[in-house]
Amino acid sequence: MLIGVPREVAPGETRVAIVPETAGKLIKAGLQVLVETGAGARAHFTDEAYRAAGASIAADAREVFAKADVLLKVQEPRMSEALGAHEADAIREGAEYVSFLGRDPDSEAAKKLKARKVTALSMEMVPRTSRAQKRDALSSMASVAG
């Protein structure tokens, strides 16, 4: 299974979906990881750090979106200058997509994902209970931010 990590295109977004350490753990578990060149730069993770963890570096976003079985992002899909299209339109049909997606099942992004038969997991919909808090992305980010 190929995990794809494209660069975030939302204005002001400095996060990346996975860090090199996590990429290494996924690879150790038998998965392949493909990271778009520069995807971690704004979060201070170099392409070399991802390579050292065993990840492959894609030349551009189009390669990541076309090849990934599972796409990991922070923000919901949106128009991308690099792709010249909406990110959801570039996802391989039948792929899986994990990110924050918002709570509106009728949003443009949700409709586009559905049209491409993409299975999408919206991270903000993971329950914020004490039992699930280890997996709750909002709590995790809040604890990192302080």
Side-chain angles (χ1 to χ4, degrees), residues 51 66-67 69 75 95 112 120 122 140-141:
R51 276 192 193 97
K67 290 183 176 179
D69 298 307
Q75 295 285 337
K112 286 180 174 288
S122 181
S140 297
M141 281 190 251

Side-chain angles (χ1 to χ4, degrees), residues 29-80:
L31 303 170
Q32 295 175 297
V33 176
L34 180 64
V35 179
E36 180 184 355
T37 189
R42 288 179 277 181
H44 307 289
F45 296 108
T46 65
D47 290 349
E48 296 309 317
Y50 285 101
R51 276 192 193 97
S56 298
I57 304 298
D60 58 27
R62 191 161 301 284
E63 181 182 356
V64 176
F65 280 88
K67 290 183 176 179
D69 298 307
V70 178
L71 273 154
L72 303 179
K73 282 192 73 227
V74 176
Q75 295 285 337
E76 71 182 49
R78 61 184 62 228
M79 279 301 298
S80 166

Side-chain angles (χ1 to χ4, degrees), residues 125-136:
M125 298 301 283
V126 174
R128 295 193 81 191
T129 65
S130 57
R131 195 167 98 176
Q133 204 158 9
K134 285 191 236 178
R135 291 169 204 84
D136 167 22

